[in-house]
Amino acid sequence: MMKVWLLLVLILNVYQAFASIEFNPEAQANTYKLHAQFMHEASMPFSYTVTKIDNIQDLLNSRPKWQYHDSGALNLGEVEQQVWLKVVLRNDSLIELPLLLSVNNNLLDNITAYIMQPNHAILTLDLGDSRPLMQRPIKHEAQLIPLELLGKRQTTLYLKVKHHGALNIPLSLWHPVEYLKYKSKFNLIYGILAGFLLAMIATNFTMYSFTRRKYFLHGTLLLSSVWLLLVHLYGFGYRYLYADWQWMQQYGQSILVLLSTLAIIPILRSRILPISTAPNVDSWLKYLLAGGLVITLLCTFLPITMALKVAYAFAITSVVYFFVITIKSPLQKLSQRIPALTVYLSLMISLCYQFGFELGLLSGALLERPVTYVCSLFVCIYISYALAKQYIFERESHIKQQEQKLAKTRAEDALLKEKLMIHEQAQQDLESSIDERTFELQVTLRELEEKNRELERLNMEDPLTKVKNRRYFDKRLMMEVRRSRREQTTLSVIMLDIDHFKRVNDVYGHLAGDQTICAFANTIQQHLKRPHDEVFRYGGEEFVILLPNTDATGAQELAEKIRQATATCTVNIADQSIQFTASAGLYSAIAQDTQNPTLFTDFADKALYEAKQQGRNQVCIYQHKQET
């Protein structure tokens, strides 16, 4: 009985398997069979469905209605829900086949691949440019899904696609070796073109570095933005430049489209390309540039789909405006405007082609149709040519101007030589006369210099005491204060005054007073030993001594010696002898304020006043604590 039961179960399983394989025409139609020599299939048949289901298990349990798509890219326009793709592959050979399933639209946001394994497990792989490059199963600019098909086995692959904007899903199946050959050839061709663009960028920037012409810098910005747009569209930017910056991968297309279009405006304003000479054209170009920059900034805050539409709409409108102002340029020959119009036409074709994919009007493998690359390459080549032509024109104009100036200069030089020959003889006669007058003048100047020295000496000397006067003291005080501040050395000032001098004038007369002042000055001079120490008559019977690089102790010793010598000094007039004393006040400090040098004399005078108050015939030192 057990054997019969087992036999029935076996027959039932075989029947179900046979029915699922032989009698399911839809499954047979959707299954793509591969042979051992398989290399490449450019258009994969698959089934698809649009649903809100987000989980693979829920999808399998719901048994959705699959729609068959035999070939070509799947173009559904803008779809808010998930689109599920079902790919069934069957290996009819006995050997295992390694395969690569390529989703030939590297701008799709989210792709999740579910590979059904023989042991009922599900292998999940994440792709899409909204995810970091490191999360892809193959770290490549293209959306690649690695597959391993066992011999005589069937493998089912589910793809969940979620994208902002028009949905364009082209699939192709590759043998890894064949894909490597294709990609090597592809990268070689486009790498050469990208390198050529980089060479033009480097050339324009080098020309700007040497010539400082702003239009070379504008050309560098234009070519750089176009180059970045191309490497972004072809996936190389995401792989090599900003692999971990998903925001740039999402918004880079809209930003770079706007920048590459706006970069033409400074070149137009430089009049390198023909444009209308109407007075409001330049203003409109400035407004267009400012508005484009504002829109570029706003696009970073808009949803991705809206940002792309706004960017392409603004770029196409700007190119149409460039086309109009070029047609209205004042050039008489249309042939001079055709190259610029061809540039705008190429740019328009490139923008409309890309915009068609974003609107869902076009579909297919974008990378296999190099319309954008060819148009952009033509635009960059012509712009570089126009900039070089402009520089050569300016250079030739500059050379012609230099030649005209040189010819004019040579004519003026010839005329000048004739004038010089005429004046040379007159100059020789004049020189002989000047030599005679010069000798006489030198003699006169020497005599005048001696007189000036004598006058200067008399001007700074006191006529009575023969010491330096007050005017010269003010100059010396300023010099010494500055030196004290600069060298941080102590400057000392001593103020001296004869005690009871009015009594001498009243008792012995003014002549005796003058002799007393002279004797006091001689006494002071006898005690000055250093060359820079000097005495000055400050006024009347008052004298001041200037002592550079002298501290308070040294100044006090000197003042005390002078006071003692003055007390023993006797002035003899006729049969009378006059004895007198002197008081002194001193101040020593390192100068701090060079704008107020009279502080030294003011403080020394205060110390002198204190000596007078304390009984005269003594020396007092000014200290700050004494000031109230």
Side-chain angles (χ1 to χ4, degrees):
M1 188 64 182
M2 182 62 68
K3 293 181 180 180
V4 175
W5 177 253
L6 292 176
L7 181 60
L8 290 175
V9 172
L10 180 60
I11 293 173
L12 181 61
N13 290 335
V14 172
Y15 173 77
Q16 290 177 352
F18 180 76
S20 62
I21 297 175
E22 298 296 335
F23 302 102
N24 190 347
E26 182 180 356
Q28 290 294 325
N30 292 348
T31 303
Y32 183 71
K33 298 180 181 180
L34 298 97
H35 51 82
Q37 290 76 29
F38 173 79
M39 290 298 176
H40 172 222
E41 173 59 39
S43 181
M44 280 292 302
F46 56 87
S47 302
Y48 72 93
T49 183
V50 180
T51 178
K52 296 181 179 179
I53 299 175
D54 189 57
N55 185 274
I56 182 64
Q57 293 294 344
D58 296 338
L59 179 72
L60 296 176
N61 295 330
S62 65
R63 295 183 179 181
K65 183 178 179 181
W66 295 97
Q67 300 183 41
Y68 180 68
H69 186 78
D70 56 350
S71 63
L74 178 63
N75 186 0
L76 299 178
E78 294 189 13
V79 179
E80 296 182 358
Q81 301 175 357
Q82 284 81 222
V83 176
W84 287 86
L85 277 66
K86 179 181 179 182
V87 180
V88 182
L89 303 175
R90 180 175 178 80
N91 183 6
D92 287 340
S93 64
L94 296 175
I95 62 175
E96 181 180 348
L97 283 179
L99 299 173
L100 289 176
L101 180 64
S102 175
V103 183
N104 298 322
N105 185 355
N106 58 333
L107 298 179
L108 291 175
D109 294 338
N110 292 283
I111 303 175
T112 305
Y114 301 95
I115 305 173
M116 312 306 291
Q117 300 297 314
N119 55 357
H120 302 288
I122 300 177
L123 177 61
T124 304
L125 302 175
D126 292 326
L127 300 91
D129 64 358
S130 64
R131 296 185 175 123
L133 183 67
M134 298 302 295
Q135 292 185 4
R136 294 187 180 181
I138 298 178
K139 310 313 183 284
H140 198 268
E141 65 270 9
Q143 313 271 20
L144 297 177
I145 302 171
L147 299 173
E148 295 288 342
L149 266 65
L150 300 178
K152 295 295 182 178
R153 296 297 296 269
Q154 180 174 293
T155 300
T156 303
L157 170 69
Y158 293 92
L159 296 178
K160 182 181 69 173
V161 182
K162 181 66 176 176
H163 181 66
H164 296 88
L167 196 61
N168 174 35
I169 310 176
L171 298 181
S172 61
L173 193 63
W174 297 81
H175 190 279
V177 176
E178 190 69 18
Y179 185 81
L180 182 61
K181 293 179 182 179
Y182 162 76
K183 202 60 182 177
S184 299
K185 185 186 299 184
F186 179 89
N187 288 346
L188 176 62
I189 295 174
Y190 286 92
I192 292 174
L193 296 178
F196 182 64
L197 285 178
L198 283 176
M200 288 192 291
I201 293 172
T203 301
N204 281 275
F205 185 74
T206 303
M207 291 297 295
Y208 169 72
S209 301
F210 284 109
T211 64
R212 291 300 174 183
R213 298 289 200 279
K214 288 186 177 180
Y215 51 77
F216 279 119
L217 180 60
H218 300 154
T220 302
L221 296 176
L222 172 61
L223 269 62
S224 299
S225 58
V226 171
W227 182 83
L228 288 173
L229 177 60
L230 291 176
V231 299
H232 175 85
L233 292 176
Y234 285 79
F236 297 111
Y238 191 48
R239 182 178 180 184
Y240 297 107
L241 300 180
Y242 39 83
D244 296 327
W245 194 8
Q246 288 74 45
W247 182 90
M248 185 60 185
Q249 181 66 6
Q250 294 283 300
Y251 285 92
Q253 184 177 358
S254 57
I255 293 174
L256 293 174
V257 164
L258 287 170
L259 292 181
S260 59
T261 305
L262 294 176
I264 301 178
I265 296 179
I267 300 176
L268 285 172
R269 295 186 63 200
S270 301
R271 304 289 173 174
I272 295 175
L273 298 176
I275 61 172
S276 173
T277 56
N280 58 344
V281 169
D282 188 68
S283 299
W284 277 107
L285 287 174
K286 287 193 294 185
Y287 296 148
L288 187 64
L289 179 60
L293 294 176
V294 172
I295 291 176
T296 304
L297 182 61
L298 291 178
C299 281
T300 60
F301 299 98
L302 296 176
I304 299 172
T305 305
M306 185 178 296
L308 285 171
K309 291 179 180 178
V310 170
Y312 277 107
F314 181 84
I316 292 173
T317 305
S318 301
V319 175
V320 171
Y321 180 69
F322 300 158
F323 203 94
V324 171
I325 62 177
T326 302
I327 293 178
K328 293 183 178 181
S329 64
L331 295 177
Q332 296 179 355
K333 296 182 179 179
L334 181 62
S335 60
Q336 297 176 344
R337 290 176 288 187
I338 287 179
L341 294 176
T342 307
V343 168
Y344 301 142
L345 181 60
S346 300
L347 190 57
M348 179 70 72
I349 293 173
S350 175
L351 291 173
C352 291
Y353 180 73
Q354 293 295 331
F355 198 23
F357 279 96
E358 297 302 329
L359 294 177
L361 303 177
L362 299 176
S363 61
L366 177 63
L367 301 185
E368 297 178 359
R369 301 176 184 177
V371 176
T372 302
Y373 217 124
V374 173
C375 294
S376 300
L377 185 63
F378 175 75
V379 171
C380 293
I381 291 175
Y382 182 78
I383 292 296
S384 298
Y385 165 76
L387 296 179
K389 183 179 178 181
Q390 178 68 18
Y391 175 70
I392 293 173
F393 174 76
E394 293 179 356
R395 185 69 176 173
E396 290 178 351
S397 300
H398 181 71
I399 291 174
K400 289 181 181 179
Q401 293 177 0
Q402 293 295 328
E403 289 176 351
Q404 293 175 357
K405 290 182 180 179
L406 182 60
K408 183 178 180 181
T409 303
R410 287 176 178 173
E412 293 176 351
D413 289 344
L415 181 62
L416 183 61
K417 287 181 180 179
E418 294 180 1
K419 292 182 179 180
L420 288 176
M421 292 177 62
I422 296 174
H423 291 292
E424 186 175 357
Q425 185 62 38
Q427 185 176 359
Q428 291 178 356
D429 299 337
L430 182 62
E431 285 179 354
S432 60
S433 176
I434 289 176
D435 290 339
E436 296 176 1
R437 297 292 185 272
T438 301
F439 178 75
E440 296 176 358
L441 181 61
Q442 288 176 349
V443 174
T444 304
L445 289 175
R446 191 177 298 110
E447 294 176 354
L448 182 61
E449 184 177 358
E450 293 176 355
K451 295 294 184 181
N452 285 336
R453 288 198 194 97
E454 181 65 22
L455 182 61
E456 184 178 357
R457 185 184 62 82
L458 294 175
N459 191 37
M460 66 182 183
E461 188 180 81
D462 181 55
L464 176 63
T465 60
K466 304 305 179 184
V467 300
K468 298 298 187 295
N469 58 15
R470 170 73 176 274
R471 180 183 299 174
Y472 184 67
F473 168 73
D474 293 337
K475 295 180 180 179
R476 275 292 306 278
L477 178 62
M478 176 63 74
M479 293 170 57
E480 296 301 335
V481 166
R482 291 176 179 175
R483 180 186 298 177
S484 173
R485 169 69 183 277
R486 183 174 62 254
E487 299 177 359
Q488 292 296 298
T489 55
T490 305
L491 175 64
S492 297
V493 175
I494 304 175
M495 298 285 292
L496 302 105
D497 185 75
I498 301 175
D499 296 333
H500 304 294
F501 182 73
K502 185 176 182 304
R503 186 184 303 171
V504 173
N505 282 335
D506 294 343
V507 175
Y508 301 101
H510 289 282
L511 182 61
D514 291 343
Q515 292 184 2
T516 302
I517 291 173
C518 291
F520 186 46
N522 292 333
T523 302
I524 296 172
Q525 282 185 318
Q526 291 173 3
H527 286 81
L528 300 180
K529 306 299 181 183
R530 298 188 307 178
H532 294 292
D533 298 345
E534 200 164 4
V535 61
F536 307 85
R537 187 179 181 186
Y538 198 72
E541 72 278 10
E542 192 173 10
F543 291 82
V544 60
I545 302 175
L546 200 59
L547 302 173
N549 200 12
T550 304
D551 57 9
T553 303
Q556 184 180 11
E557 292 178 357
L558 178 62
E560 187 64 30
K561 290 180 181 180
I562 294 174
R563 184 194 66 78
Q564 293 175 2
T566 302
T568 59
C569 179
T570 302
V571 178
N572 296 315
I573 299 177
D575 56 347
Q576 295 180 348
S577 298
I578 303 174
Q579 289 186 333
F580 60 94
T581 60
S583 301
L586 68 92
Y587 175 69
S588 298
I590 298 175
Q592 301 296 330
D593 185 8
T594 58
Q595 302 298 323
N596 192 13
T598 56
L599 287 176
F600 282 84
T601 56
D602 293 343
F603 291 156
D605 188 64
K606 289 182 179 182
L608 175 63
Y609 178 77
E610 184 178 355
K612 294 284 190 179
Q613 293 295 323
Q614 293 180 2
R616 294 181 172 82
N617 193 22
Q618 57 182 294
V619 177
C620 287
I621 302 175
Y622 176 81
Q623 295 179 356
H624 285 282
K625 65 182 182 178
Q626 296 174 348
E627 190 175 8
T628 59

